Amino acid sequence: MAARGLEKLASKEPLTNGKGADERGIPLKSDYPDMPIPMLYGAFTSVFTAISVAIAVAVFKFGAKDKYDAKIALLKEYDLGWVYLGFFIVKLGMFFINVNLGMARKASKVNVPDQQVYKVYTPNGAPELG
């Protein structure tokens, strides 16, 4: 039983962002732009990294430089540079995972926030599911 008045508030038509959808409700076109996904994600990552490095350099240059130098010397003394290298490698791995995810989303036309799409394999001669 529907709550009073709710049938007037929501349409029974699937949301398609004006782009149309197939019979299963999957959009016909992806929300991603036509540029290659690695270039798109690379551009976003480069811009955010450049902004972050610029802020870090400004803080180091105009902040309490002696205090920061002492902290960097402590990292050098305990040979902890590999920790930062590890963070960079994890960040690089996350970048490649996100590029892979973006390419899959673009190809499948499944846009954010729809996070999971599963492909069902059926035996030869069996009717398709869906």
Side-chain angles (χ1 to χ4, degrees):
M1 180 173 149
R4 286 183 291 171
L6 287 183
E7 61 276 351
K8 296 177 187 175
L9 296 176
S11 170
K12 293 182 182 181
E13 297 297 318
L15 297 175
T16 60
N17 297 332
K19 295 182 178 135
D22 64 10
E23 65 279 353
R24 295 179 297 164
I26 304 287
L28 297 174
K29 182 166 177 6
S30 174
D31 283 345
Y32 280 95
D34 290 332
M35 68 187 306
I37 297 298
M39 188 174 9
L40 176 71
Y41 278 53
F44 277 119
T45 300
S46 298
V47 167
F48 289 127
T49 301
I51 291 170
S52 301
V53 169
I55 290 170
V57 167
V59 166
F60 182 76
K61 185 172 182 174
F62 300 114
K65 191 170 181 181
D66 293 335
K67 180 180 172 184
Y68 304 142
D69 284 336
K71 299 241 184 218
I72 292 172
L74 182 68
L75 292 173
K76 185 177 178 183
E77 178 183 344
Y78 288 107
D79 194 26
L80 294 175
W82 60 271
V83 174
Y84 288 92
L85 180 63
F87 285 141
F88 177 74
I89 291 171
V90 168
K91 173 66 177 160
L92 197 59
M94 290 173 54
F95 170 76
F96 287 118
I97 288 170
N98 285 327
V99 166
N100 186 29
L101 173 66
M103 291 188 327
R105 279 189 177 149
K106 184 175 182 179
S108 66
K109 299 177 288 294
V110 174
N111 304 309
V112 176
D114 301 326
Q115 297 296 313
Q116 279 85 28
V117 173
Y118 300 96
K119 182 172 184 177
V120 176
Y121 292 93
T122 55
N124 289 338
E128 288 189 24
L129 303 174

